[in-house]
Amino acid sequence: MAGETLFALILLIGLLALFYINARTWRREEPRNTAPDEPFADEPPKRPQRRTLPPAKPIATLEIEYADAHGEVTERRISIIQIDAEVDEEGAFHPESMRAYCHMRKGNRTFMVGRIERLYPPGETTPIRRRAEIYAWFAELCRQVAEAENSQVTRR
């Protein structure tokens, strides 16, 4: 009885595998015959390559050590474009994330303030390592930017 069940199961798996292989070949289409200088109709038009440029006027450029979502820490040089922060009743800033141009990835990225392991402020050689001090540094930067005429701090 067990042998018959096993045989039926193996036979069923084999038939399913055969059906899968045939279904893949049925979907294939042969390319149409076209003139040599004429592109295939199925071919998408070529688009110019997109390139993200660094911001014209960054808030600040600094060096950080950043842990990504998987915990991998990388050293990055970033130019901050925008800071997202909550503002409490007393008017104190609580930074959460920032939009910045990453010089390593050569594009705009979003960085979570809580994932910054070390922060090298502009012109400083000693890093800030404690999380509370990193938050305090960004809160002060938010305050300075908010006081400027052209505010780039997003308040929630």
Side-chain angles (χ1 to χ4, degrees):
M1 181 89 172
E4 293 172 0
T5 307
L6 182 63
F7 177 75
L9 184 62
I10 291 172
L11 182 64
L12 180 64
I13 291 172
L15 288 173
L16 286 174
L18 258 167
F19 178 77
Y20 176 73
I21 291 169
N22 284 333
R24 288 187 65 197
T25 58
W26 291 334
R27 282 188 242 144
R28 290 191 187 139
E29 292 181 12
E30 295 297 320
R32 298 182 202 152
N33 290 334
T34 58
D37 57 342
E38 190 179 311
F40 286 109
D42 298 336
E43 208 173 287
K46 291 186 179 180
R47 294 182 182 171
Q49 186 178 8
R50 289 184 58 188
R51 190 170 152 223
T52 307
L53 299 174
K57 210 173 170 185
I59 296 171
T61 300
L62 47 107
E63 306 280 333
I64 61 171
E65 286 184 14
Y66 187 76
D68 64 6
H70 304 291
E72 184 179 332
V73 178
T74 55
E75 290 183 17
R76 297 176 184 233
R77 182 169 176 251
I78 62 171
S79 297
I80 301 172
I81 301 167
Q82 176 184 358
I83 302 173
D84 294 326
E86 287 188 9
V87 183
D88 61 14
E89 297 83 33
E90 290 87 33
F93 291 94
H94 302 282
E96 295 176 352
S97 65
M98 66 187 133
R99 193 81 179 140
Y101 178 81
C102 178
H103 295 271
M104 181 177 96
R105 301 280 186 217
K106 298 194 181 349
N108 293 336
R109 299 285 191 267
T110 300
F111 295 94
M112 304 303 292
V113 176
R115 290 186 183 164
I116 296 175
E117 300 288 325
R118 287 192 181 116
L119 165 69
Y120 296 87
E124 300 281 327
T125 56
T126 307
I128 299 173
R129 297 178 186 196
R130 293 185 16 196
R131 194 152 321 268
E133 291 176 1
I134 291 172
Y135 276 105
W137 190 88
F138 276 104
E140 176 62 23
L141 182 64
C142 288
R143 188 189 63 73
Q144 292 172 4
V145 171
E147 287 176 357
E149 287 179 29
N150 186 9
S151 179
Q152 294 172 313
V153 177
T154 304
R155 297 179 187 210
R156 291 190 197 172

